[in-house]
């Protein structure tokens, strides 16, 4: 059954959205949170598992120091206070993804709390999102339901379980309720998750690949009439695992809530599942604010005491924050606000930085990435960085153009050759016989022919209409199959006709 929805515009006229995000970040430590089993993605199922991960009787967990360091770094990057002491807790539940029958997590004593993240929207507006807490926990195993539709448990014949993921260190980042985003709520949702991903990637604490589940988002949405202080009832859409999906899921939930409220019905507090194919959510399980997980302090682990010296040592290792880096790069490159924003939105900032480091000017790097490569990537439906253009290739192409060996049009042809795997730019120039005709002899012949073919135009130019020269240049370029240097051709024509350029 599909739920009723209001149009987004109508929903926005009537209701004020409030958002909240729980983002799970998988840390890229070598080993797991509480065991020495390897933390590796994509291995044969159930090979990276030991007795601690399986919760066999008598085992004791040991905290991964690196995971704590990474968590503190995340807390610092999110402008949080780092707890002087904090503890793990047991979150008890019975489900086959967790063989211990409890998840080791943090509950009322998170390692980091009370922070904020300034999120930049596509038009440059900065929106501050308050962070409630960032706490450590372990990931659960992965269940795969076989035989049913769309991999869901309903209607499945059987389920497979892979405990490789069980015990992988996670940091869960929870926002305070986000108010005041209005109709930009879906956009903010996407920008917030993108900013968190950028931060953990920049810190080097996570591989941060959403398609691998390294960064997963639960999106909470509620609506209230404008002007009312009290929040509405929220729904929590689980595991929205791409940036586009985050945006769409928030938008959809706003539209769905609005229809329910409009019909005078109550919103059910529940989890929802996101479906990429239909871009809708369906009801998951009902949820009260106090799910009875019977949390209690983990008796097998000592409290974590993060000394202030240690925290300061870690703070000193933090890389330049992404926002500051963007500011610095824009100033270094001399791009206008609009140019820079286009570069960021196209996802080629890193690529341009590398191209400049390889020897290109900022203008040349932008011209190639924005002018040529971004469009090709869009057609191929991949990220520009994944198209396989190396910074050195751009530098080489540009050097050939500047040396007058090939012109811009040929350079683009060479780029296509490189992308088609035909070899290096030099090899492609050779193979395709591309070269600017710079020897004046053959050019003069072609010019004389073009002038003879268009005597009227020649007369005009002689008479002082210098701009008419374009037609003759065009004729010469055609005759030389684009291999002439158009600037030189123009000079020679004017010389030939005895006209001042
Ligand atoms: P739970 O684990 O029960 O989902 P959390 O506190 O971990 O609870 O996360 C709830 C998220 O939802 C937080 O980001 C919180 O700020 C947000 N939130 C709480 N109440 C509302 C509401 N009425 N509308 C929207 N978001 C809310
Ligand atoms: Mg939750």
């Amino acid at each position: 059954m599909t739920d009723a929805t209001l149009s987004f515009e109508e929903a926005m006229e009537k209701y004020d959205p409030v958002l909240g995000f729980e983002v799970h970040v998988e840390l890229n430590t070598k080993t797991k949170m509480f065991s020495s089993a390897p933390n590796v993605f994509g291995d044969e199922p159930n090979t990276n598992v030991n007795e601690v991960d399986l919760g066999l009787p008598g085992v004791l967990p040991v905290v991964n120091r690196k995971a704590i360091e990474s968590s503190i770094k995340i807390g610092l990057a999110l402008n949080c206070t780092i707890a002087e002491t904090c503890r793990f807790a047991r979150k008890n539940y019975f489900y086959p993804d967790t063989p211990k029958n409890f998840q080791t997590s943090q509950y009322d004593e998170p390692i980091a709390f009370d922070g904020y993240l300034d999120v930049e929207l596509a038009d440059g507006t900065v929106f501050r999102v308050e962070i409630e807490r960032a706490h450590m926990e372990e990931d659960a195993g992965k269940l795969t339901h076989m035989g049913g539709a769309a991999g869901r448990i309903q209607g499945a014949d059987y389920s497979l379980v892979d405990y490789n993921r069980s015990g992988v260190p996670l940091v869960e980042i929870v926002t305070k309720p986000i108010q005041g985003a209005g109709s930009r709520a879906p956009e903010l949702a996407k920008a917030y998750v993108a900013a968190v991903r950028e931060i953990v990637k920049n810190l080097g604490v996570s591989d941060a690949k959403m398609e691998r589940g390294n960064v997963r988002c639960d999106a909470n949405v509620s609506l209230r009439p404008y002007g009312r202080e009290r929040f509405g009832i929220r729904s929590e859409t689980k595991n929205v695992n791409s940036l586009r999906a985050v945006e769409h899921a928030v938008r959809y939930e706003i539209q769905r809530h609005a229809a329910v409220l409009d019909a005078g019905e109550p919103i059910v507090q529940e989890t929802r599942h996101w479906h990429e194919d239909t871009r809708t959510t369906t009801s998951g399980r009902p949820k009260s604010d106090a799910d009875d997980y019977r949390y209690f302090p983990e008796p097998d682990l000592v409290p974590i005491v993060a000394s202030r010296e240690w925290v300061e040592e870690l703070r000193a290792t933090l890389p330049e924050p992404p926002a500051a880096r963007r500011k610095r790069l824009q100033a270094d490159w001399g791009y206008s606000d609009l140019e820079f924003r286009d570069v960021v939105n196209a996802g080629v900032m890193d690529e341009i930085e590398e191209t400049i480091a390889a020897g290109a000017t900022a203008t040349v790097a932008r011209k190639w990435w924005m002018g040529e490569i971004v469009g090709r990537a869009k057609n191929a439906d991949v990220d520009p960085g994944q198209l396989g253009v190396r910074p050195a290739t751009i530098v080489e192409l540009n050097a050939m153009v500047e040396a007058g060996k090939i012109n811009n049009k040929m350079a683009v042809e060479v780029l296509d050759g490189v992308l088609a795997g035909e070899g290096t730019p030099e090899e492609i120039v050779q193979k395709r016989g591309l070269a600017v005709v710079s020897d004046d002899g053959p050019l003069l012949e072609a010019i004389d022919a073009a002038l003879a073919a268009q005597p009227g135009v020649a007369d005009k130019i002689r008479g002082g209409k210098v701009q008419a020269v374009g037609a003759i240049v065009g004729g010469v370029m055609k005759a030389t199959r684009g291999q002439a240097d158009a600037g030189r051709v123009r000079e020679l024509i004017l010389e030939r006709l005895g006209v001042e350029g």
Side-chain angles (χ1 to χ4, degrees):
M1 193 193 77
T2 55
D3 290 283
T5 54
L6 239 52
S7 78
F8 185 71
E9 290 67 30
E10 198 180 348
M12 281 294 113
E13 267 167 38
K14 296 181 170 166
Y15 302 105
D16 177 18
V18 175
L19 309 176
F21 300 101
E22 299 153 73
V23 174
H24 288 87
V25 177
E26 270 185 0
L27 303 179
N28 58 2
T29 50
K30 285 207 188 73
T31 56
K32 292 188 179 177
M33 187 78 218
F34 305 110
S35 91
S36 58
N39 170 20
V40 182
F41 179 87
D43 279 0
E44 184 77 11
N46 298 310
T47 52
N48 299 329
V49 178
N50 71 15
E51 53 278 17
V52 175
D53 308 320
L54 293 176
L56 299 186
V59 299
L60 286 174
V62 177
V63 173
N64 182 331
R65 182 185 168 96
K66 192 84 190 173
I68 305 234
E69 272 187 21
S70 298
S71 307
I72 294 176
K73 286 184 184 176
I74 290 175
L76 291 173
L78 295 172
N79 306 292
C80 289
T81 303
I82 306 301
E84 303 219 0
T85 104
C86 64
R87 267 195 296 195
F88 285 99
R90 287 190 184 184
K91 178 181 182 178
N92 297 280
Y93 69 94
F94 181 78
Y95 200 62
D97 65 356
T98 299
K100 301 191 294 186
N101 291 344
F102 63 86
Q103 179 191 29
T104 310
S105 180
Q106 292 194 299
Y107 182 50
D108 49 355
E109 298 181 55
I111 188 149
F113 52 88
D114 278 351
Y116 63 85
L117 179 57
D118 285 331
V119 178
E120 198 174 325
L121 301 181
D123 71 351
T125 313
V126 174
F127 197 103
R128 177 160 294 190
V129 172
E130 310 271 352
I131 307 291
E132 166 96 31
R133 64 177 195 273
H135 69 252
M136 297 181 285
E137 59 185 34
E138 59 178 338
D139 212 344
K142 187 174 169 52
L143 294 176
T144 308
H145 307 296
M146 307 298 288
R152 302 194 60 193
I153 192 168
Q154 287 84 355
D157 296 327
Y158 60 96
S159 299
L160 298 171
V161 58
D162 176 8
Y163 290 127
N164 281 353
R165 201 177 69 183
S166 142
V168 165
L170 289 180
V171 171
E172 178 175 344
I173 301 162
V174 183
T175 68
K176 295 191 174 148
I178 303 169
Q179 309 176 55
S183 60
R184 305 192 76 171
E187 185 193 351
L188 175 64
K190 177 181 172 185
Y192 168 73
V193 177
V196 169
R197 189 185 62 164
E198 188 180 33
I199 281 186
V200 298
K201 193 173 165 201
N202 189 46
L203 289 171
V205 298
S206 171
D207 293 345
K209 294 196 172 106
M210 290 189 84
E211 65 276 16
R212 288 189 173 185
N214 298 146
V215 176
R216 316 195 284 263
C217 171
D218 300 343
N220 293 268
V221 173
S222 70
L223 298 183
R224 59 183 173 186
Y226 283 100
R228 188 161 88 194
E229 189 101 6
R230 188 158 47 84
F231 297 151
I233 308 278
R234 69 183 159 115
S235 61
E236 178 184 348
T237 305
K238 303 294 272 182
N239 286 331
V240 200
N241 291 337
S242 76
L243 294 178
R244 266 193 339 208
V246 174
E247 181 170 17
H248 291 147
V250 165
R251 192 181 171 92
Y252 176 82
E253 279 298 287
I254 288 174
Q255 293 179 254
R256 185 184 67 82
H257 279 229
V260 175
L261 294 173
D262 248 27
E265 298 188 355
I267 301 281
V268 182
Q269 180 155 336
E270 62 183 353
T271 64
R272 309 270 308 176
H273 298 294
W274 172 246
H275 305 286
E276 191 60 52
D277 48 352
T278 52
R279 288 201 182 162
T280 58
T281 62
T282 52
S283 178
R285 65 185 168 91
K287 189 168 175 177
S288 71
D289 270 327
D291 277 328
D292 192 3
Y293 289 120
R294 290 160 295 126
Y295 279 99
F296 61 85
E298 167 60 64
D300 287 344
L301 290 164
V302 293
I304 295 157
V305 179
S307 77
R308 297 302 94 176
E309 293 75 41
W310 189 30
V311 171
E312 288 318 306
E313 260 170 48
L314 292 173
R315 195 193 299 278
T317 68
L318 296 187
E320 181 183 27
R325 173 164 170 249
R326 281 198 292 271
K327 229 178 232 144
R328 173 175 61 80
L329 292 178
Q330 186 186 349
D332 282 358
W333 299 347
Y335 293 179
S336 70
D337 287 350
L338 186 65
E339 285 169 347
F340 193 74
R341 203 174 304 142
D342 284 348
V343 163
V344 171
N345 291 339
V348 292
M349 189 180 75
D350 293 345
E351 285 71 17
I352 288 184
E353 190 185 25
E354 286 163 22
T355 307
I356 293 171
T361 65
T363 310
V364 165
R366 193 173 73 85
K367 186 185 89 180
W368 280 95
W369 283 101
M370 296 302 290
E372 299 296 337
I373 301 164
V374 164
R376 284 172 175 73
K378 202 170 260 168
N379 289 338
D381 206 15
V382 296
D383 287 341
Q386 293 171 337
L387 208 59
V389 182
R390 293 185 315 117
T393 302
I394 293 176
V395 173
E396 192 179 342
L397 282 174
N398 187 61
M400 287 196 241
V401 172
E402 283 189 347
K405 276 172 82 173
I406 56 175
N407 59 27
N408 279 315
K409 201 162 146 264
M410 293 172 194
V412 170
E413 199 184 324
V414 176
L415 174 70
D416 284 325
V418 171
L419 290 176
E422 290 173 26
T424 66
E426 194 62 61
E427 287 164 0
I428 294 162
V429 165
Q430 297 279 331
K431 246 190 274 180
R432 296 200 181 185
L434 297 170
V436 172
V437 180
S438 52
D439 186 353
D440 286 352
L443 285 185
L444 286 172
E445 256 172 56
I447 287 169
D448 287 339
L451 287 171
Q454 303 186 73
V457 179
D459 285 341
K460 266 194 204 156
I461 301 169
R462 274 196 204 89
K465 282 201 80 174
V466 175
Q467 62 274 39
V469 77
I472 307 291
V473 174
V476 174
M477 295 307 285
K478 205 166 162 195
T480 57
R481 296 196 319 280
Q483 305 213 344
D485 172 348
R488 180 68 188 143
V489 170
R490 186 174 187 281
E491 268 171 29
L492 288 173
I493 296 167
L494 295 179
E495 242 175 69
R496 204 66 165 171
L497 298 175
V499 180
E500 289 281 319

